[in-house]
Amino acid sequence: MNIASLLLQLLFAMLFMIIQFVALFWFLARGRTYWILPGETGSTWDDYRGNPEIVENAKRIVTLLKGVKEFKEMGGEAIRGLLLCGPPGTGKSYLAQVIANEAQVPFAYASAPSFQNMFFGVGNLKVMGIYKKARKLAKVYGACIIFIDEIDAIGMSRQGGGGGGMMGGLMGMGGSGILNELLLQMDPPNIDNNWFAKLLRSLGLRKKKAERPAVLTIGATNLPDVLDQALLRPWPF
């Protein structure tokens, strides 16, 4: 009887420790991201004051976001990356909000340093989580925008030591692993995320091409020279 009671106590203690660890990991993996749905900000081109050339290019992005379905039907692909460079206070984040509001698509605001964490893998979970939610919203609204401020914090060149060294990489502070995850999420393969669609495809009953939700990542930085070359290539930015 004593042995059974001791085993139950040990089992309870182990379950309690596991629950605590999972709860702590879940709490740390929650990224501080602000989600803005269409119409909540009301920011328009009339409110933005900036370079006319930038506004003209931004209006083209809005046209692309509004016509995602039509562009796909014509064989095109939705734009997946946009990089805004400029000194602090030049309105990079505000421009991204205007683009989202004019296109009437959801907008997520995140700061790149918030993805960093002392525990290995937590930053990757934060990146995966924000893109997972963005894809769900893109299916509802047609597209979604993720704005990452100070993207140089996780997008520094890996050749220049942006990974944070051995100790930084083990503790999760380095940006190399997070950068790899970001690149994967920005340009993922065409897959069926719905379980029913996966089942039909596995049975050979679904011949339609797997669709990739239109998620536009807008990165902002005042240090473009330190960014990794993988971020500066035509895709994703």
Side-chain angles (χ1 to χ4, degrees):
M1 189 69 176
N2 292 333
I3 296 178
S5 177
L6 180 61
L7 289 175
L8 286 175
Q9 290 180 7
L10 288 174
L11 180 61
F12 178 79
M14 291 177 61
L15 288 175
F16 183 72
M17 292 177 63
I18 292 173
I19 292 174
Q20 278 189 321
F21 178 77
V22 171
L24 177 63
F25 206 75
W26 174 82
F27 178 78
L28 293 175
R30 293 176 60 195
R32 189 174 181 180
T33 306
Y34 300 94
W35 292 91
I36 302 174
L37 296 180
E40 290 185 350
T41 61
S43 302
T44 65
W45 297 122
D46 295 333
D47 303 315
Y48 181 79
R49 300 291 183 271
N51 192 320
E53 295 181 1
I54 295 178
V55 173
E56 190 64 31
N57 290 328
K59 288 183 177 180
R60 294 194 185 101
I61 301 296
V62 172
T63 302
L64 292 173
L65 291 175
K66 286 184 174 180
V68 168
K69 183 178 180 180
E70 290 75 11
F71 287 127
K72 285 186 176 182
E73 290 177 351
M74 291 187 292
E77 282 287 343
I79 182 172
R80 296 194 292 274
L82 177 65
L83 183 62
L84 300 178
C85 306
T90 52
K92 298 185 292 294
S93 61
Y94 191 73
L95 176 61
Q97 292 181 46
V98 173
I99 292 175
N101 187 65
E102 289 286 348
Q104 287 296 288
V105 297
F107 175 82
Y109 177 88
S111 177
S114 68
F115 293 131
Q116 296 175 328
N117 198 281
M118 67 177 296
F119 294 105
F120 180 79
V122 174
N124 296 56
L125 288 177
K126 291 181 179 181
V127 175
M128 292 169 61
I130 187 174
Y131 276 89
K132 182 179 181 180
K133 183 173 181 179
R135 292 189 184 102
K136 288 182 178 179
L137 290 173
K139 290 182 179 179
V140 177
Y141 292 93
C144 183
I145 292 177
I146 297 177
F147 177 78
I148 303 179
D149 201 6
E150 301 177 23
I151 196 171
D152 50 274
I154 59 174
M156 293 182 65
S157 175
R158 287 166 285 192
Q159 295 181 351
M166 180 179 295
M167 184 58 69
L170 289 175
M171 294 301 292
M173 293 297 292
S176 179
I178 302 177
L179 174 59
N180 292 335
E181 186 65 44
L182 176 64
L183 291 170
L184 174 62
Q185 295 296 328
M186 289 178 67
D187 192 18
N190 289 359
I191 56 176
D192 285 319
N193 291 320
N194 183 278
W195 69 269
F196 186 67
K198 289 181 179 180
L199 177 62
L200 292 178
R201 193 175 295 280
S202 64
L203 296 175
L205 301 177
R206 184 178 175 88
K207 302 300 183 180
K208 182 182 177 181
K209 179 181 177 182
E211 294 185 359
R212 177 167 40 188
V215 176
L216 169 61
T217 303
I218 300 180
T221 180
N222 58 344
L223 299 171
D225 296 336
V226 305
L227 294 179
D228 193 90
Q229 290 300 313
L231 277 175
L232 298 177
R233 71 182 192 269
W235 292 107
F237 284 133

